[in-house]
Amino acid sequence: MATQPSSDRGVWSGKLGFVLAAAGSAIGLGNIWRFPYMASEGGGGIFVLVYLICVLAIGIPVLFAELSIGRATERNPVGAFKALAPGTLWPAVGGMGVLAGFGILAFYSVIAGWTVGYLWMALTGDFGPGVTAEQSAQMFTDLIGSPGPALLLTAFFLAVTAGVVRGGIAQGIERAAKVLMPVLLFVLIVLLVRAVTLPGGLDGVSYFLKPDLSELTPTVLVTALGQALFSMSLGMGAMITYGSYFPRDQSLPFAGTTVALADMGIALLAGLVIFPALFSAGMDPQGGPGLVFVVLPTVFANMPAGGLWAVLFFGCLAIAALTSTISLLEVVVAYFVDERGWSRNKAAISVAAACFLLAVPSALSQGASAWLTEFGWLDIQNIIWGNYGLSVGALLICLFVGFKWGPEKMLEYVELGGNRVPGRGVLAFVIRYVCPLAIATVLAFIIITGQYF
Ligand code: TRP
């Protein structure tokens, strides 16, 4: 067996390269846009509590399941299942993952386009003192409701993503991931301090942190589960692909856990910025997909040099979104390169172009087209791919590792190049019984109660 993944596929420059790239994949709009938006629909604190349980009890085990499959096979999700279970239906799970990646990318790039629009607005001085909650809401509606800008920004974002993915693994992805993540963290901390000290800000903190058990519904369960998976880039094979580039002679457990905790930390930070600001501005917690974009300008309005912070924030957010879209596109591209023999160049460009077509209705569903808006196309894409697609994917991955491949194999590849995992028996038990049962129960609840959305 080779000591490194074969060099023509590429390999991370080391553990740090992996942590940065995987954290780059995990940390993105999922933490800063989707998490507060889902939390506001899920009743605040109760959603946050279920989300945290899902990250620890399901997210982290599934993360290691995916990474170990990637490490064992050095393949894209489809090839990985083919290698481990030839002649079975399991490769279809990889296929579903590739499809889910495509579906997620198609609405994700629309939101990512908004961040670029906001960066542009910040650069031209639209944010800063004096912006009221009403003006902020109007700016948002104007940007996303005009078909021209909405489509152009989406196309731009997909084009940049394809440009990076064409360049190959080590150079393209790592370079993008390394630079701006620490800056994003710093800006979020500054915004947090400002938001919680705004008048009425503490009401937002208690909304966000105090669970109200009476608000627990099947929808909250599936949304929180979906959010945990979405935020950690799980359930569709992205981490299989990323694990496949992990150097064989380095230790994985610590690196993987770091990625999970960093992702969770950024989401919590984002919530602690958004909800205090929202309550302070007297807005409605049912903010919809515009939540972050509408709320944050009211924070910048109350800060010295608010316009500058806005530039920094939206600049970093756009980069965080880019390192995530890269990972989404990478999964689909790796499939066409490995399984279909396409060149990286051809795969990156044609997949991104096809993705744009699926993104068009999402981009037009925020005011530009009346019936797509009424239909709620973007929200539905978000729920179908993000909540259901990833939950079903994660369930199947757990069943695969638990009953087909075997938890022992998973542990072997988690431990490859490093020490034995403490509590390895627990991890094996959790991946085999706890995760699949929990996910299946949540999905069964949804089917029985019919509360799909
Ligand atoms: N995790 C990313 C975020 O939070 C989005 C993302 C990137 C993703 N790759 C993924 C989600 C794969 C699910 C699966 O923004």
Side-chain angles (χ1 to χ4, degrees):
M1 198 180 282
T3 54
Q4 294 289 340
S6 44
S7 58
D8 51 333
R9 292 190 75 241
V11 53
W12 304 117
S13 62
K15 232 183 323 194
L16 183 65
F18 162 80
V19 169
L20 288 168
S25 163
I27 297 169
L29 297 172
N31 309 58
I32 289 163
W33 161 74
R34 199 180 192 271
F35 176 69
Y37 154 40
M38 293 291 125
S40 77
E41 306 211 324
I46 185 66
F47 173 92
V48 178
L49 177 68
V50 181
Y51 158 81
L52 290 176
I53 296 173
C54 288
V55 169
L56 300 175
I58 299 176
I60 292 182
V62 173
L63 173 66
F64 282 111
E66 286 202 24
L67 290 173
S68 64
I69 293 175
R71 255 192 136 180
T73 58
E74 299 178 9
R75 302 278 173 83
N76 68 84
V78 176
F81 284 103
K82 271 192 198 159
L84 297 179
T88 66
L89 276 178
W90 286 106
V93 176
M96 274 176 47
V98 171
L99 195 69
F102 187 79
I104 292 173
L105 183 58
F107 75 80
Y108 199 97
S109 54
V110 173
I111 320 290
W114 299 350
T115 66
V116 176
Y118 264 64
L119 175 60
W120 178 255
M121 283 153 66
L123 285 167
T124 53
D126 286 353
F127 302 116
V131 176
T132 65
E134 291 74 37
Q135 284 168 337
S136 173
Q138 191 59 45
M139 279 161 47
F140 179 68
T141 322
D142 288 347
L143 176 76
I144 65 163
S146 353
L151 288 173
L152 255 170
L153 289 168
T154 307
F156 171 77
F157 213 90
L158 279 169
V160 174
T161 306
V164 179
V165 169
R166 276 176 61 191
I169 288 301
Q171 314 92 319
I173 303 183
E174 285 186 34
R175 212 180 301 154
K178 254 175 211 165
V179 200
L180 284 168
M181 288 298 132
V183 185
L184 178 67
L185 178 65
F186 172 71
V187 177
L188 275 174
I189 291 172
V190 172
L191 292 179
L192 171 112
V193 172
R194 176 63 281 203
V196 295
T197 52
L198 285 170
L202 291 178
D203 293 342
V205 176
S206 76
Y207 174 81
F208 182 70
L209 293 182
K210 271 214 198 111
D212 175 355
L213 287 179
S214 69
E215 301 236 15
L216 188 61
T217 62
T219 325
V220 169
L221 292 178
V222 79
T223 333
L225 171 65
Q227 176 59 28
L229 298 172
F230 187 97
S231 190
M232 295 170 77
S233 303
L234 296 174
M236 48 74 67
M239 289 299 169
I240 294 184
T241 309
Y242 272 35
S244 77
Y245 304 116
F246 195 86
R248 293 191 158 258
D249 55 1
Q250 308 224 8
S251 164
L252 181 64
F254 186 70
T257 310
T258 310
V259 173
L261 296 183
D263 182 65
M264 189 174 91
I266 297 280
L268 293 177
L269 264 180
L272 287 171
V273 174
I274 300 301
F275 288 100
L278 180 129
F279 275 74
S280 171
M283 294 182 197
D284 177 11
Q286 286 277 322
L291 184 64
V292 174
F293 294 93
V294 176
V295 169
L296 277 180
T298 68
V299 183
F300 301 130
N302 284 298
M303 289 173 82
L308 193 68
W309 290 106
V311 171
L312 272 178
F313 176 80
F314 288 113
C316 294
L317 185 57
I319 298 294
L322 180 64
T323 53
S324 299
T325 54
I326 288 168
S327 86
L328 286 163
L329 183 60
E330 176 61 32
V331 174
V332 189
V333 165
Y335 165 74
F336 282 105
V337 171
D338 293 356
E339 302 300 312
R340 299 284 163 117
W342 290 18
S343 73
R344 193 160 249 288
N345 195 30
K346 172 180 162 191
I349 293 173
S350 31
V351 172
C355 203
F356 178 71
L357 296 181
L358 184 60
V360 168
S362 283
L364 298 181
S365 72
Q366 300 296 310
S369 146
W371 85 262
L372 283 170
T373 309
E374 177 70 22
F375 187 73
W377 179 276
L378 191 146
D379 308 63
I380 290 182
Q381 297 292 307
N382 179 30
I383 289 166
I384 290 181
W385 303 108
N387 291 349
Y388 294 113
L390 298 179
S391 300
V392 172
L395 172 63
L396 293 170
I397 288 169
C398 293
L399 291 176
F400 176 79
V401 171
F403 297 95
K404 173 77 188 165
W405 192 40
E408 267 309 312
K409 281 281 174 198
M410 161 179 152
L411 288 170
E412 180 188 332
Y413 284 97
V414 169
E415 290 170 346
L416 189 72
N419 301 326
R420 279 171 83 85
V421 175
R424 57 206 306 280
V426 177
L427 184 58
F429 181 80
V430 166
I431 206 72
R432 191 165 193 188
Y433 299 111
V434 178
C435 294
L437 258 176
I439 301 174
T441 308
V442 168
L443 291 174
F445 259 137
I446 289 292
I447 294 169
I448 293 165
T449 59
Q451 298 179 26
Y452 296 101
F453 295 99

